[in-house]
Amino acid sequence: MNRLDNKIALITGGANGQGAAEAELFIDAGAKVVITDVNSEAGEATAARLGENCAFLQHDVSSQDDWARVVDAVVDLHGRIDVLVNNAGIFRVLGLADTDLGTWEQTVAINQTGVFLGMKAVAPVMQANRAGSIINISSIAGLAASKAHAYCATKWAVRGMTKAAAVELGPSNIRVNSIHPGYIETPMLDAFGVPRQELVAKIPFGRTAEVIEVAKVVLFVASDDAGYCTGHEFVVDGAIKA
């Protein structure tokens, strides 16, 4: 399982849920991981649970200054960054008419601008090493329409930004891909405000996914096993969008 042996990974939104599952799996695969989050208490607890190969940094992904500080800290600690997982995000189930400007701007700042700033911050580090894998967590809402208007807009944006960055960074041997989860068992599902069985009824596979099932795809894309995969979408949705 040493698919990430000696790799250095930075995972945003790593205090809980999907990000924490990715961090744990990466460590099991041989990586040293730095997780970041705005929630310092949960982030410190997760890093302590995952052990000596995990460190935590408080981080607002919408802040360019925070990105500069975090990238410098990871490079000071480990010398390089091999993998960036832009996992941090927020979710509001609000349609066009119900989305106020404040909600729109906050969603764009975290889900879209945060990804842009992350790619921009790590690119020079990866270019210096002529290697790297950037993984942007989008959604099935980045593949088809969603009632969550701002969320859908940002996740489509992440898909396009991923492709543009893949073309630009390809000559430096940096791969950039997006992951598109469907209904995953995290607290985000509670935002729908409907019973789980109502969501499950929409899934041809007949169940929601566990966070580890997304994490395993992220691990593959991060690893050298996906060494010729770049600029593409990896969908983990139980055939909802098939």
Side-chain angles (χ1 to χ4, degrees):
M1 284 295 294
N2 294 331
R3 297 167 73 180
L4 295 183
D5 220 10
N6 299 316
K7 299 284 189 183
I8 308 303
L10 170 59
I11 301 175
T12 70
N16 297 293
Q18 194 170 296
E22 292 158 4
E24 184 168 4
L25 191 61
F26 276 30
I27 290 167
D28 288 345
K32 291 181 171 60
V33 175
V34 177
I35 58 171
T36 76
D37 209 288
V38 292
N39 187 336
S40 295
E41 184 176 353
E44 294 284 5
T46 296
R49 175 175 64 83
L50 295 182
E52 63 181 3
N53 288 323
C54 185
F56 170 74
L57 294 171
Q58 197 279 337
H59 182 197
D60 173 3
V61 296
S62 68
S63 165
Q64 182 167 285
D65 289 344
D66 262 20
W67 269 110
R69 174 181 56 80
V70 164
V71 168
D72 285 348
V74 177
V75 172
D76 285 346
L77 183 63
H78 293 298
R80 65 185 193 280
I81 299 172
D82 301 305
V83 180
L84 167 66
V85 183
N86 277 311
N87 175 77
I90 60 171
F91 180 49
R92 304 281 190 275
V93 183
L94 295 169
L96 175 62
D98 295 323
T99 301
D100 59 53
L101 182 59
T103 298
W104 171 267
E105 290 178 338
Q106 182 188 38
T107 306
V108 170
I110 295 170
N111 292 5
Q112 181 178 344
T113 303
V115 171
F116 159 73
L117 292 173
M119 292 194 294
K120 187 176 177 65
V122 302
V125 177
M126 292 181 173
Q127 286 171 321
N129 292 323
R130 293 199 56 79
S133 176
I134 298 173
I135 302 165
N136 298 324
I137 307 299
S138 180
S139 166
I140 55 171
L143 300 171
S146 165
K147 294 179 180 178
H149 187 80
Y151 181 80
C152 183
T154 60
K155 294 305 184 178
W156 274 87
V158 167
R159 182 184 177 193
M161 292 158 59
T162 296
K163 290 180 177 296
V167 172
E168 182 175 350
L169 299 177
S172 296
N173 196 37
I174 299 168
R175 299 183 296 108
V176 190
N177 292 284
S178 57
I179 308 291
H180 297 258
Y183 295 141
I184 312 302
E185 279 297 333
T186 70
M188 274 192 175
L189 284 189
D190 297 332
F192 285 102
V194 299
R196 283 291 191 273
Q197 59 264 31
E198 192 171 318
L199 297 177
V200 168
K202 302 177 183 179
I203 307 171
F205 224 54
R207 64 175 178 84
T208 56
E210 299 298 327
V211 289
I212 190 64
E213 294 178 287
V214 178
K216 286 179 178 179
V217 177
V218 177
L219 170 62
F220 166 71
V221 179
S223 76
D224 292 340
D225 291 345
Y228 203 62
C229 299
T230 190
H232 293 293
E233 301 92 346
F234 290 80
V235 184
V236 191
D237 75 343
I240 297 172
K241 299 302 179 186

